[in-house]
Amino acid sequence: MKLEHIGIAVKDLAASNELFAALFDSPHYKTEGVESEGVMTSFFKSGDVKIELLEGTNSESPISKFIEKKGEGIHHLAFEVVDLDFEMKRLTDLGFILINEVPKFGADNKRIAFLHPKSTNSVLIELCQERS
Ligand code: ZN
């Protein structure tokens, strides 16, 4: 598994885009909404790893709820896998708990599934596979 991106929950995507553009001295290279999740995302590159900023677009969004509970900050780590269905089965067999029993479509042309933080030291982990 290779670290693909780090997801960061933010309250104000436009303001955070400016902040991270200043940090990296390079602007975000795309924005993308995921309507089913109620999020708007933007992406930055940091070497081989991407930084995904996530803003909730409604109060029911998982990102809005996360910020309400914990405030802004690191939301998840995403690892790229070659075969998402295989890894989901492998990890379930090892006792990991999946949030998504069935993969869903995420931003950046990916199929994704999340592992429940209670089985991963409170770190929300996303598995992702490029959609072919
Ligand atoms: Zn992500």
Side-chain angles (χ1 to χ4, degrees):
M1 285 190 198
K2 160 183 163 311
L3 183 62
E4 212 278 337
H5 65 267
I6 298 170
I8 299 176
V10 304
K11 282 183 186 162
D12 181 338
L13 193 62
S16 297
N17 279 340
E18 277 185 36
L19 179 81
F20 279 83
L23 176 70
F24 292 133
D25 196 22
S26 179
H28 65 283
Y29 64 91
K30 75 165 169 180
T31 58
E32 186 180 344
V34 183
E35 208 164 307
S36 60
E37 293 295 295
V39 297
M40 186 56 77
T41 68
S42 67
F43 285 87
F44 291 83
K45 279 204 173 80
S46 172
D48 285 343
V49 177
K50 298 165 189 164
I51 303 294
E52 176 186 39
L53 303 183
L54 305 116
E55 178 192 57
T57 54
N58 62 62
S59 59
E60 291 308 300
S61 161
I63 295 301
S64 306
K65 288 180 176 167
F66 175 88
I67 289 176
E68 208 171 283
K69 263 196 231 160
K70 299 187 173 176
E72 295 180 294
I74 293 182
H75 179 258
H76 64 273
L77 301 181
F79 294 98
E80 181 147 53
V81 298
V82 175
D83 183 339
L84 181 59
D85 302 278
F86 174 85
E87 290 296 338
M88 289 170 71
K89 166 97 172 66
R90 184 181 73 84
L91 293 169
T92 304
D93 289 348
L94 289 172
F96 289 90
I97 300 160
L98 293 171
I99 293 178
N100 312 105
E101 306 271 324
V102 177
K104 53 186 186 176
F105 295 132
D108 206 26
N109 196 39
K110 300 266 196 293
R111 293 170 73 223
I112 65 172
F114 285 97
L115 299 178
H116 199 289
K118 73 182 170 194
S119 65
T120 50
N121 286 144
S122 300
V123 178
L124 179 60
I125 291 178
E126 172 188 333
L127 304 176
C128 60
Q129 180 186 7
E130 192 83 21
R131 282 165 74 185
S132 49

